[in-house]
Amino acid sequence: MRVRVDLSYVDYNDVFQFLESLKHEFPEVGEYLNRQKNLPENLVFYFDFNDSFSEFEKHVRKTVDSDKNLHYDVAVDSKEDNTLTLLKPDDLEQLGIFICEFCGAVSSSEEEKYIHERAHYFF
Ligand SMILES: [Zn+2]
């Protein structure tokens, strides 16, 4: 499947750092980087991934969590299909983005987030 990673909020140097770390999780990313000479201008990356989106998300979270130089939250973009966005914790409030503590889903208000998070308690 085709997955998207939006790195437009990530510092330029961290983009390389992140992609390098991601290479260890996904050979697909290494192949992608070998093909590309330049990074996409909008810093939105597309990868072909041989598993589900949730599996992809798991790997990306693991990559970010295990690299102590990367201080980002991984958010699932609610407006685009199969898209993960990396955000700096400081940027979140400014952007009016609220992230579910359980699954990373993005809400646009505190209330929406609260309603969403409540759903997790029923599982
Ligand atoms: Zn959630």
Side-chain angles (χ1 to χ4, degrees):
M1 75 180 306
R2 181 143 277 217
V3 292
R4 272 170 109 240
V5 183
D6 184 345
L7 300 181
S8 55
Y9 297 107
V10 174
D11 291 338
Y12 207 70
N13 288 334
D14 290 340
V15 171
F16 290 102
Q17 170 90 20
F18 171 72
L19 291 172
E20 277 301 315
S21 304
L22 207 58
K23 265 207 298 206
H24 299 293
E25 292 286 325
F26 302 109
E28 293 93 335
V29 173
E31 286 164 27
Y32 172 88
L33 291 175
N34 289 339
R35 278 199 311 271
Q36 301 297 118
K37 289 203 172 64
N38 300 306
L39 297 179
E41 215 163 287
N42 60 1
L43 295 179
V44 175
F45 294 81
Y46 293 88
F47 301 114
D48 289 314
F49 182 55
N50 298 325
D51 210 328
S52 65
F53 180 66
S54 61
E55 199 56 28
F56 181 73
E57 183 190 346
K58 212 161 78 186
H59 284 278
V60 171
R61 279 184 196 284
K62 194 175 140 201
T63 301
V64 173
D65 289 347
S66 62
D67 192 328
K68 60 182 187 318
N69 296 314
L70 292 173
H71 304 288
Y72 293 93
D73 285 330
V74 179
V76 178
D77 195 318
S78 55
K79 292 177 190 75
E80 302 278 352
D81 283 343
N82 301 328
T83 299
L84 293 177
T85 306
L86 261 66
L87 294 162
K88 279 186 228 177
D90 295 348
D91 286 343
L92 294 175
E93 268 180 48
Q94 265 180 307
L95 292 165
I97 291 170
F98 299 85
I99 294 187
C100 172
E101 282 170 34
F102 303 99
C103 74
V106 173
S107 303
S108 53
S109 73
E110 188 94 57
E111 197 188 356
E112 197 183 306
K113 178 189 152 186
Y114 174 73
I115 291 165
H116 167 90
E117 282 184 344
R118 259 192 343 193
H120 286 290
Y121 297 118
F122 296 107
F123 292 121

